[in-house]
Amino acid sequence: DSRLPFLGIMGAAIFATVGFTLGTLKELLVKIRQLNHEIESKNRELQKVVFHDPLTELHNRRYVSEFLVGQVSIFLRQLTTPEFAMRNLGVEEKVLFLMVVDIDHFKKINDSRGHGVGDEVLAQVASRIRDAVRFDDVVVRWGGEEFLIVCPMVERKAAELVMRKVLDGVRSTP
């Protein structure tokens, strides 16, 4: 049949086009994956900028506002579970413990030693607090020389131990 060479040429052209399209599609998918990775990386950087204090590298007020809403929601949901009622646990046994730490006479440090030294004091106190708390606790630079520590779902006695450890850690070295 005289059409066979023509069909062969058409088949080869279609195959080449499909091959080119599949190769291009593969390249596009690789590029999309790379761009998605870059977007995820930029989003992590943005989250750090939005939710962290640059001086102390602690979480900031914006973060803790969202965190507390989530913690209260979790706590209320747990109160309504049958397991909670069956264990006969009282609300008093587990608390959402908040502690504010304020550096006494901080203005004197800034006034007499300068803001650079004041910044170093803030960074040191933040580090000591972070070292003193438990893994699940959240430390926040609340503002100025104030820090907030959030201990979610903690027994009261454990909360008191955290508080004592934080105070001892901050006071341990001038």
Side-chain angles (χ1 to χ4, degrees), residues 46-52 59-68 140-142:
L46 182 60
Q47 290 282 352
K48 184 160 176 86
V49 168
V50 169
F51 291 122
H52 286 83
H59 292 292
N60 60 21
R61 291 175 84 126
R62 183 177 291 136
Y63 174 85
V64 80
S65 296
E66 291 186 23
F67 179 79
L68 287 175
V140 176
R141 181 160 179 210
W142 190 244

Side-chain angles (χ1 to χ4, degrees), residues 124-137:
Q124 284 289 321
V125 170
S127 177
R128 292 177 189 189
I129 293 171
R130 195 176 23 249
D131 290 346
V133 300
R134 303 166 315 145
F135 177 76
D136 291 339
D137 299 337

Side-chain angles (χ1 to χ4, degrees), residues 73-134:
S73 175
I74 290 168
F75 185 69
L76 291 175
R77 194 168 46 249
Q78 287 178 347
L79 286 177
T80 61
T81 62
E83 295 83 10
F84 190 86
M86 289 178 67
R87 289 192 317 227
N88 197 24
L89 293 175
V91 175
E92 311 81 41
E93 292 185 34
K94 296 273 185 174
V95 297
L96 178 64
F97 181 74
L98 303 173
M99 179 171 68
V100 176
V101 177
D102 180 81
I103 302 173
D104 292 337
H105 313 294
F106 184 73
K107 185 175 178 341
K108 289 182 183 178
I109 295 170
N110 274 340
D111 290 348
S112 64
R113 305 285 175 129
H115 290 278
V117 172
D119 286 352
E120 182 59 31
V121 168
L122 290 171
Q124 284 289 321
V125 170
S127 177
R128 292 177 189 189
I129 293 171
R130 195 176 23 249
D131 290 346
V133 300
R134 303 166 315 145

Side-chain angles (χ1 to χ4, degrees), residues 13-70:
I14 291 171
F15 181 74
T17 303
V18 169
F20 174 75
T21 304
L22 290 176
T24 304
L25 183 59
K26 186 176 179 181
E27 290 173 13
L28 286 173
L29 288 174
V30 168
K31 185 67 174 170
I32 289 170
R33 282 190 196 113
Q34 289 172 338
L35 290 172
N36 280 336
H37 179 71
E38 288 177 29
I39 289 170
E40 289 170 6
S41 176
K42 294 294 181 187
N43 280 337
R44 282 190 297 274
E45 289 176 27
L46 182 60
Q47 290 282 352
K48 184 160 176 86
V49 168
V50 169
F51 291 122
H52 286 83
D53 173 61
L55 176 65
T56 62
E57 298 183 7
L58 296 176
H59 292 292
N60 60 21
R61 291 175 84 126
R62 183 177 291 136
Y63 174 85
V64 80
S65 296
E66 291 186 23
F67 179 79
L68 287 175
V69 167

